[in-house]
Amino acid sequence: MDAPERDSATHFWYTGDPESQAAVDVLQALRRYRTAETRMRARTRQEMRMGENDILAVRHVIRGRQTGHFISPKDLAELLGISSASTTTLIDRLEKSGHIERRPHPTDRRALILMPTPNADDDVRAALAEAHDRMREVAESLTPEERVVVVAFLDRMAGAVGA
């Protein structure tokens, strides 16, 4: 780590003791990861020529198909935290780009479900496969004990920032 990054003056939460500095080092590593992930998402959006919600919508619809759960427009609105009007515009855009299809619900004739097109699978795979492979390799390089610690830490951090 560069000296400026470890400089206590740059961290408002640093208290001066060695244990606090070690915790700051962990938080700085987490910050570097988040920055790298944000850049990866931006590259993916640029490659796919899609906005963040567009990519998230396609991922939710693909995941729904993979898990056998039908995703309705209402479900998508809730998952993305957007209005029904915004959802309609989003679905129209994804349908026009060839990533999503509206289909009748198999058991409820009044309802619609969203299904990914083969094009959607191919585009997402092409954009994310290399990064996901590299990420999986890093995760697989951990010992079982390290994985337990990392998962517990990340779950606790998610709880801390989600509270």
Side-chain angles (χ1 to χ4, degrees), residues 94-114:
L94 291 174
E95 199 169 38
K96 185 177 179 181
S97 70
H99 290 95
I100 286 180
E101 296 175 338
R102 289 177 172 102
R103 292 190 186 162
H105 192 285
T107 59
D108 182 351
R109 293 186 317 181
R110 299 167 295 157
L112 288 175
I113 59 169
L114 304 171

Side-chain angles (χ1 to χ4, degrees), residues 131-149:
H132 283 179
D133 287 346
R134 289 190 305 268
M135 291 164 61
R136 189 182 60 251
E137 285 174 15
V138 170
E140 288 173 349
S141 74
L142 298 172
T143 66
E145 295 80 15
E146 289 171 328
R147 288 183 198 129
V148 168
V149 170

